[in-house]
């Protein structure tokens, strides 16, 4: 059990389970993109740990670039998607794999997918560590999903509660 700010979180998914699943996703991506050189587009801040564990297991020549969005205030979605740091990579005719920590309402991802499609890529797929199907407010199609979870707030492995918890090496859920 851990306390962050005013809330208590309990252990949810252990590190070995997370990293075992990341290895499986990396193997799928390596197979699916054989003879291709994809661009991984990492959504900061939350996806930094998932992305680093995923890309180092992918046996492909690839490029990695970053974008930063903000859509959350404490533990509730603001419903507003704000871009903070833009795309600076040419994605024309490239196979893009977006790496996200969690798809909750789907608003962030659907805004990002639209933006990426406008840049004329060859293909766009999504790899997300977590997905809360019951929270989805707009359709998002994910090719690679680590874990489908209940609609509960989680921290750890890159995800924070009001700035804290990103460095935890496993996932915790609100008690
Ligand atoms: P969406 O736009 O509602 O899908 O939210 C996407 C972003 O909200 C994610 O990239 C996370 O940064 C944040 N988020 C959503 N659910 C959680 C959670 O359970 N814990 C921490 N952050 C979350």
């Amino acid at each position: 059990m851990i306390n962050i700010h005013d809330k208590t979180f309990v252990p949810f998914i252990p590190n070995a389970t997370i990293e075992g699943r990341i290895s499986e996703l990396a193997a799928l991506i390596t197979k699916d993109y054989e003879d291709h050189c994809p661009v991984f587009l990492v959504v900061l801040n939350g996806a930094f740990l998932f992305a680093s564990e995923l890309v180092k297991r992918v046996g492909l020549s690839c490029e990695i670039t970053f974008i930063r969005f903000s859509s959350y205030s404490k533990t509730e979605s603001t419903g507003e998607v704000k871009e903070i740091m833009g795309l600076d990579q040419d994605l024309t005719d490239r196979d893009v794999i977006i790496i996200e920590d969690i798809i909750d309402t789907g608003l962030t991802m659907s805004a990002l997918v639209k933006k990426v499609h406008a840049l004329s890529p060859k293909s766009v797929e999504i790899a997300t560590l977590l997905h809360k199907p019951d929270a989805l407010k707009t359709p998002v199609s994910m090719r690679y999903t680590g874990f489908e979870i209940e609609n509960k707030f989680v921290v750890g492995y890159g995800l924070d509660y009001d700035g804290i918890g990103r460095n935890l090496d496993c996932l915790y859920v609100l008690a």
Side-chain angles (χ1 to χ4, degrees):
M1 191 156 86
I2 54 164
N3 294 312
I4 300 179
H5 300 304
D6 55 330
K7 305 213 183 298
T8 300
F9 293 83
V10 292
F12 181 43
I13 307 180
N15 180 273
T17 309
I18 298 169
E19 296 193 355
R21 182 67 186 135
I22 294 175
S23 294
E24 291 174 359
L25 297 180
L28 284 174
I29 292 171
T30 303
K31 189 164 157 276
D32 292 347
Y33 289 81
E34 203 186 342
D35 300 326
H36 290 72
C37 178
V39 180
F40 289 102
L41 178 58
V42 182
V43 185
L44 296 173
N45 295 330
F48 81 102
L49 266 187
F50 172 45
S52 71
E53 294 301 321
L54 184 70
V55 297
K56 71 189 184 193
R57 289 170 168 84
V58 166
L60 298 166
S61 170
C62 63
E63 288 181 66
I64 303 167
T65 190
F66 303 89
I67 192 169
R68 187 171 176 203
F69 274 84
S70 142
S71 70
Y72 252 62
S73 160
K74 303 217 170 153
T75 60
E76 278 175 52
S77 178
T78 58
E80 210 182 289
V81 178
K82 212 167 51 170
E83 182 180 346
I84 295 176
M85 198 173 86
L87 271 170
D88 57 3
Q89 168 116 14
D90 183 6
L91 299 179
T92 313
D93 280 331
R94 300 298 306 270
D95 292 303
V96 178
I97 304 172
I98 299 172
I99 304 185
E100 177 62 299
D101 56 351
I102 186 164
I103 295 179
D104 182 41
T105 62
L107 294 171
T108 306
M109 187 52 74
S110 118
L112 178 54
V113 166
K114 255 187 224 145
K115 191 173 169 63
V116 173
H117 273 299
L119 300 171
S120 313
K122 190 159 133 206
S123 66
V124 183
E125 298 291 352
I126 298 166
T128 184
L129 178 63
L130 301 170
H131 171 38
K132 296 180 188 170
D134 296 340
L136 214 55
K137 289 190 178 156
T138 183
V140 176
S141 116
M142 292 138 263
R143 181 138 178 203
Y144 308 101
T145 302
F147 304 92
E148 287 198 348
I149 63 169
E150 273 182 68
N151 191 7
K152 289 187 175 166
F153 193 79
V154 295
V155 291
Y157 218 84
L159 293 104
D160 71 310
Y161 167 45
D162 208 10
I164 305 295
R166 293 194 199 278
N167 61 321
L168 296 165
D169 77 346
C170 57
L171 282 155
Y172 289 80
V173 66
L174 198 54

